[in-house]
Amino acid sequence: AYQVALASAVDDLRGKPDPHVLTLVNATDPVCVYGALAPLPGEGRLSRVPSSYLVLRAGAPLFLVEGHGKRVTPLPDAATLADETRVAALRLLRLILAPPGPLRAVRSLRIDEYDGAPAVEAAGLLERAGFRRDGERMVMGVLEAEAAARVV
């Protein structure tokens, strides 16, 4: 595939990644290098489908997000993060709700499972990232996503 970029963008890409920058990347985005050729660290396995995402820090995967957020799996590098950085990384999930209504794949994020357990077991962490309890799962609607964006 042929891709073009401004010279300044190419220079930025060649530079060393900022270790503090957190990014949410869709699994189908060409910039996502993970998948069959570059497996995720640990037990995680990335399906390159539109409902899967990765949260990256300086290009390294921290969280695997599947089913538009139904399942969130911390990857090995997430365990070394300060709590504030983990919250900031999870707050990025609000970007799944960023497209205008007709283009948005889901109306709200519903985390059913976090790290292999019911999401409510990680309620303290997820509430600080902008989610609210809804039975055994954690939910973020458009209004909560907008509020989480103001925190950043």
Side-chain angles (χ1 to χ4, degrees):
Y2 180 73
Q3 294 184 347
V4 294
L6 297 172
S8 60
V10 172
D11 292 339
D12 287 344
L13 291 170
R14 287 186 182 142
K16 197 170 194 175
D18 184 341
H20 304 292
V21 173
L22 296 165
T23 310
L24 179 71
V25 177
N26 187 276
T28 62
D29 191 318
V31 77
C32 182
V33 298
Y34 297 95
L37 297 177
L40 292 173
E43 302 286 322
R45 185 156 183 222
L46 178 66
S47 296
R48 294 191 59 111
V49 295
S51 61
S52 293
Y53 299 83
L54 285 175
V55 176
L56 307 173
R57 181 178 181 203
L62 299 176
F63 292 94
L64 170 60
V65 181
E66 300 170 281
H68 293 294
K70 289 187 186 217
R71 184 170 46 240
V72 177
T73 306
L75 298 170
D77 284 352
T80 65
L81 296 176
D83 212 31
E84 305 82 46
T85 305
R86 207 170 317 134
V87 168
L90 291 167
R91 196 175 286 134
L92 280 181
L93 299 184
R94 74 183 189 286
L95 297 175
I96 296 171
L97 299 174
L103 302 176
R104 194 177 309 130
V106 292
R107 291 189 303 212
S108 64
L109 299 176
R110 291 180 171 87
I111 301 178
D112 295 327
E113 184 181 302
Y114 179 87
D115 200 13
V120 73
E121 291 184 20
L125 180 69
L126 293 168
E127 284 172 343
R128 290 189 4 242
F131 289 84
R132 63 180 161 77
R133 290 178 193 227
D134 182 20
E136 289 292 304
R137 58 185 167 189
M138 300 297 291
V139 176
M140 178 187 288
V142 174
L143 294 177
E144 288 100 351
E146 290 171 358
R150 288 191 294 273
V151 173
V152 176

